[in-house]
Structure formats: C-alpha cells, structure tokens
C-alpha cells in the first residue's frame, strides 16, 4: 500500500508501536513528527494521505495542529489519539474535523480497523 501516513506523537515509543502495527499490515510509507508544529510543516511538504496524531504534545498541541491542517486542507484525513479522561478535547477534535479518535492505551486491531476504514 502506498498511502502515506504521518504519525505524530511526542513519545517515540508510541510512534514506534503504531508504526510497527501498521508496517506489519502492509502500510509501509510512514513518516513521523514529534510535535504538532513539526506535523504542520510535514503536512505541507509531504502531503500525507492520513495523519494519526496525539492530542497532548509540546510546542503545538494536536488540537492546534488539527485546526491548522484543516484550515489549509478541509479534506485532510486526521485520526486523533488521546488518553482516558480527555473527553472534552476529543469532542473539540471531532468538531474541528477529526474523522475518528483512538483512546490510549489502544489495541493494535483498533488502529488497523480505523486506518483501513479511512484509507479504504
């Protein structure tokens, strides 16, 4: 599958976990960013088909990055990740145009199901 996926999380371990799950299932074109600011720059330059983004990050939160990405490209496909207890932020993300959200800690099946549903 040549769909490009941008993984955004300040925790390298989380990016590795998601990347591992996706590559084992055929998604090999994966790029990574450690915060929302870098994610916005990479979105502009790399034009990913999908963004999987954490909500809580330094420099620019996932919510701020989502708003910026959607303002530049209303058709952008973004999935948000959040820890339990961040329901208000999840609601905000959906209002801003996130297509889905995955609650941490998540099961690999949940990531795959969501990504394949959105990318087809």
């Amino acid at each position: 599958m040549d769909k490009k996926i941008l993984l955004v999380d300040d925790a390298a371990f989380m990016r590795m976990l998601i990347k591992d799950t996706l590559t084992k299932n055929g998604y090999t074109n994966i790029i990574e960013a450690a915060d929302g600011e870098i994610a916005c720059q990479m979105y502009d330059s790399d034009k990913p088909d999908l963004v999987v983004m954490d909500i809580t990050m330094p420099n620019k939160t996932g919510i701020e990055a989502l708003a910026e990405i959607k303002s530049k490209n209303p058709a952008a496909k973004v999935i948000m990740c959040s820890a339990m207890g961040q329901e208000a932020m999840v609601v905000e993300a959906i209002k801003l145009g996130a297509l889905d959200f995955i609650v941490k800690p998540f099961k690999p099946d949940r990531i795959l199901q969501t990504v394949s549903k959105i990318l087809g």
Side-chain angles (χ1 to χ4, degrees):
M1 286 173 236
D2 61 348
K3 298 280 188 185
K4 189 183 292 184
I5 300 173
L6 172 58
L7 299 181
V8 189
D9 199 310
D10 55 320
F13 174 75
M14 288 309 297
R15 292 195 313 269
M16 186 186 75
L17 204 66
I18 297 168
K19 185 176 185 174
D20 189 50
T21 299
L22 293 173
T23 52
K24 282 180 181 168
N25 289 276
Y27 296 96
T28 54
N29 194 356
I30 297 173
I31 53 178
E32 300 178 42
D35 66 46
E37 197 166 306
I38 296 167
C40 289
Q41 293 165 7
M42 289 181 77
Y43 188 85
D44 292 341
S45 61
D46 293 279
K47 310 274 187 272
D49 298 290
L50 176 66
V51 180
V52 179
M53 185 158 43
D54 187 24
I55 288 181
T56 310
M57 296 181 289
N59 300 326
K60 189 176 281 186
T61 68
I63 298 288
E64 292 166 335
L66 171 65
E68 185 174 322
I69 289 169
K70 287 299 247 182
S71 74
K72 292 177 188 171
N73 178 7
K77 295 177 180 173
V78 183
I79 299 170
M80 301 303 291
C81 297
S82 78
M84 293 296 286
Q86 291 185 316
E87 286 80 5
M89 287 190 184
V90 168
V91 169
E92 170 111 7
I94 298 296
K95 282 182 185 169
L96 285 169
L99 296 175
D100 205 341
F101 68 94
I102 300 170
V103 179
K104 295 177 183 177
F106 40 73
K107 295 178 172 58
D109 288 356
R110 174 74 169 102
I111 296 169
L112 277 176
Q113 178 186 15
T114 306
V115 168
S116 53
K117 177 182 76 179
I118 291 170
L119 289 179

